[in-house]
């Protein structure tokens, strides 16, 4: 869901986001895709550290879902198995799921500028003294820009009535085509009524490029799970209630990709479909809501930056009996929030649809309930791996004029791409040898950096900027008594520990 509120002070926030994006590029977290060709809108590449960060988040999710799932409300560990389904499936999958017919956003075109906007991303300002004057902006427009535009249109400079467009609002729909000045337009009446625009990327399979060979890149990982429900049931020993989890790429031809990786055209999801008896669905829905919130909190997202938002009746898809979004206060949504994960009670809609369209029986005969036959209901926690990475980066980004780097990334140690750096104070006196030995011991278990060159301040600065939680410094005393200094990233406090304790120290600190 889109952030509902406008930033109060766009300049400061925008600066932060620019700094975050710049740091991501400078230190090798995230690059524009095809950078040397000028990029390609909505696509991003992950550099050496970004890849590690993303893998850490993915692996932690996998661990908490599949390898070591939580204890359920019945006191037993929840059963969840993993899956890795193809990105391209039979196109009938997407017809059954409703994506071919309905996976669309209402779009508004501008006849003057030929630009296209997502209707729910527009908001409106109405002149207070003249209700016929309405001007429209894209969500996220800086206040300065808004003021400039209003001035050009000869408006009073008061930002008068502010309204987020719910395109269902009939007044706005009518006004759109008559009175409203579009986001980049100069005169009113150039916007069209909203039209549906399908988000699935199309491709053609095989040598002959005909319409009979159309296939789609998956718009979500979830459908791969539903269409394998029967295979998993038939081949493994799972019993309802159980879950199937999948992490992978999803593709949406977003009309306005923006806010760095927040809205990308190619992104990654971490989705789990939890199948249960209809009478227990509410209990599992409540359970997963709490578990998923806890997951993000455990990774360091602070309570004030996280929000559980329940979908209103007008937002719910018709088959859902309830949906909560876990939202995060990103710098570009602040003081509002943007969706990080959705937890939906989807009833048995998806399995029903696939049963109908495939002709295969997808009901379950429940041995625990006198062989009752039913199509399980589903609770779906659907998280964005891409948005998760962005939330971790935004949360971690901590300006600190008091240190040489001016900023550090305050990652939870479990998420940090590098867990520690080993830094001999000088490149002589036996120090590099000790450092190398320690490095060879630690690297088997932890991603660690060995950095021998440059002055120590510069080396600390680099580690601060990439969010390395611990630096082990080797000095003359190490040579004498086998102790090293541990420098903790956030506090910069130092303590000495014995070389033989370093592994244990890291193991303890990294654990959540
Ligand atoms: P939005 O309203 O922001 O378009 P959505 O409600 O359509 O998102 P879902 O279909 O519920 O999203 O997908 C589950 C998760 O996938 C979202 O919570 C989000 O983290 C992630 N996601 C969806 N679209 C994108 C995108 N274009 N770029 C990055 N992540 C995305």
């Amino acid at each position: 869901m889109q952030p509902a509120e406008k930033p109060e002070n766009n300049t400061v926030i925008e600066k932060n986001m620019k700094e975050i994006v710049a740091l991501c590029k400078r230190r090798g977290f995230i690059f524009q895709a095809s950078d040397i060709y000028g990029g390609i809108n909505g696509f991003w590449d992950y550099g050496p550290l970004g890849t590690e960060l993303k893998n850490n988040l993915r692996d932690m999710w996998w661990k908490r879902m599949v390898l070591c799932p939580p204890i359920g409300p019945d006191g037993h560990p929840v059963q969840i198995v993993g899956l890795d389904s193809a990105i391209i499936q039979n196109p009938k999958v997407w017809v059954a799921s409703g994506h071919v017919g309905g996976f669309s956003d209402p779009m508004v075109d501008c006849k003057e500028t030929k630009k296209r906007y997502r209707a729910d991303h527009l908001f409106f300002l109405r002149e207070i003294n003249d209700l016929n004057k309405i001007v429209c902006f894209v969500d996220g427009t800086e206040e300065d820009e808004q003021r400039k535009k209003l001035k050009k249109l000869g408006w009073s400079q008061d930002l008068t009535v502010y309204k987020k467009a719910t395109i269902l609002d009939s007044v706005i729909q009518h006004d759109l085509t008559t009175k409203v000045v579009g986001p980049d337009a100069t005169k009113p009446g150039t916007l069209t009524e909203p039209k549906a625009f399908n988000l699935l990327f199309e491709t053609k399979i095989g040598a002959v490029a005909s319409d009979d060979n159309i296939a789609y890149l998956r718009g979500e990982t979830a459908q791969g799970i539903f269409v394998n429900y029967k295979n998993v049931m038939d081949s493994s020993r799972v019993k309802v209630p159980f879950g199937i989890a999948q992490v992978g790429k999803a593709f949406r031809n977003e009309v306005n990709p923006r806010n760095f990786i927040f809205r990308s055209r190619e992104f990654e999801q971490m989705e789990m479909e939890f199948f249960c008896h209809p009478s227990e669905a509410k209990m599992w829905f409540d359970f997963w809501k709490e578990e998923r919130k806890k997951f993000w909190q455990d990774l360091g997202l602070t309570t004030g930056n996280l929000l559980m938002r329940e979908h209103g009746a007008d937002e719910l898809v018709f088959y859902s009996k309830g949906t909560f979004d876990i939202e995060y206060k990103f710098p570009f949504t602040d003081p509002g929030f943007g969706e990080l994960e959705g937890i939906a009670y989807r009833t048995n809609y998806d399995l029903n649809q696939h049963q109908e369209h495939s002709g295969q029986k997808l009901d379950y005969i429940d041995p625990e309930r006198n062989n009752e036959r039913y199509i399980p209901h589903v609770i779906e926690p659907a998280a964005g791996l891409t948005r998760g990475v962005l939330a971790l980066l935004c949360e971690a980004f901590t300006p600190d004029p008091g240190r040489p780097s001016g900023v550090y990334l305050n990652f939870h140690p479990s998420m940090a791409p590098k867990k520690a750096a080993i830094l001999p104070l000088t490149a002589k006196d036996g120090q590099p040898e000790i450092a190398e030995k320690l490095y060879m011991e630690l690297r088997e278990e932890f991603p660690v950096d060995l950095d021998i060159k440059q002055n120590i301040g510069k080396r600390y600065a680099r580690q601060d900027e990439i969010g390395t939680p611990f630096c082990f410094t080797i000095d003359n005393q190490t040579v004498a008594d086998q102790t090293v200094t541990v420098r903790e990233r956030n506090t910069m406090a130092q303590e000495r520990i014995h070389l033989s304790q370093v592994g244990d120290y890291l193991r303890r600190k990294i654990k959540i």
Side-chain angles (χ1 to χ4, degrees), residues 396-463:
F397 187 85
T398 316
D400 179 3
R403 61 177 85 200
S405 54
V407 63
Y408 64 99
L409 293 183
N410 172 16
F411 290 127
H412 186 282
S414 66
M415 291 293 108
K418 299 282 178 191
K419 307 302 178 200
I422 300 159
L423 313 173
L425 213 49
T426 66
K428 50 186 198 291
D429 303 333
Q431 292 180 20
E433 290 76 8
I434 299 179
E436 265 160 39
K437 183 161 175 283
L438 181 61
Y439 171 71
M440 292 308 285
E441 276 166 28
L442 292 181
R443 68 173 204 144
E444 301 234 343
E445 200 180 336
F446 311 99
V448 284
D449 251 7
L450 171 65
D451 191 358
I452 298 183
K453 297 198 184 90
Q454 285 190 320
N455 75 47
I456 192 75
K458 281 204 176 131
R459 283 182 280 163
Y460 282 150
R462 174 168 190 281
Q463 297 302 334

Side-chain angles (χ1 to χ4, degrees), residues 60 64 295 298-299 412 414-415 508-512:
M60 186 58 74
R64 295 272 285 255
F295 173 81
D298 286 350
L299 300 187
H412 186 282
S414 66
M415 291 293 108
R508 219 175 43 242
K509 295 283 186 181
I510 290 166
K511 202 162 189 274
I512 286 191

Side-chain angles (χ1 to χ4, degrees), residues 1-2 103 105 118 120-121 199 219-220 252 254 261-271 311 325-326 339-342 380 382-388:
M1 283 297 107
Q2 277 309 288
F103 187 47
D105 284 325
R118 223 173 105 170
D120 62 335
H121 288 178
L199 297 182
E220 60 176 31
R252 294 183 189 178
E254 298 278 1
I261 57 174
F262 179 84
R263 187 167 301 287
S264 314
R265 289 180 164 139
E266 174 177 341
F267 56 97
E268 279 174 89
Q269 292 184 311
M270 309 186 284
E271 297 196 292
H311 281 210
D325 282 346
I326 301 181
E339 177 179 332
L340 184 57
E341 167 161 357
E380 175 194 77
L385 175 54
T386 309
R387 284 192 193 168

Side-chain angles (χ1 to χ4, degrees), residues 27 69 85 88 104 183 194 200 217 249 254 346 371 376 392 425 440 446 456-457 476:
R27 290 301 185 187
S85 70
I88 295 180
S104 55
L200 285 182
L217 304 192
K249 294 254 172 162
E254 298 278 1
R346 300 179 64 92
N371 292 335
L392 291 179
L425 213 49
M440 292 308 285
F446 311 99
I456 192 75
N476 280 333

Side-chain angles (χ1 to χ4, degrees), residues 1-2 57 60-62 64-65 80 245-246 252 262-263 267-274 284-299 301 305-311 315 322-330 337-346 379-389 391:
M1 283 297 107
Q2 277 309 288
L57 177 53
M60 186 58 74
W61 185 88
W62 195 256
R64 295 272 285 255
M65 284 294 180
I80 304 179
Q246 160 152 255
R252 294 183 189 178
F262 179 84
R263 187 167 301 287
F267 56 97
E268 279 174 89
Q269 292 184 311
M270 309 186 284
E271 297 196 292
M272 195 270 291
E273 307 302 324
F274 195 77
W284 286 108
F285 187 36
D286 292 342
F287 172 78
W288 284 113
K289 259 163 25 195
E290 284 313 304
E291 274 302 316
R292 297 307 305 147
K293 187 169 80 188
K294 189 165 173 298
F295 173 81
W296 293 111
Q297 283 170 337
D298 286 350
L299 300 187
L301 302 191
N305 286 341
L306 278 177
L307 180 83
M308 274 295 216
R309 191 181 66 82
E310 184 168 14
H311 281 210
E315 249 183 296
T323 298
F324 275 83
D325 282 346
I326 301 181
E327 300 189 333
Y328 181 73
K329 198 196 275 177
F330 292 96
F337 292 74
E339 177 179 332
L340 184 57
E341 167 161 357
I343 299 141
Y345 174 17
R346 300 179 64 92
I379 310 298
E380 175 194 77
L385 175 54
T386 309
R387 284 192 193 168
V389 166

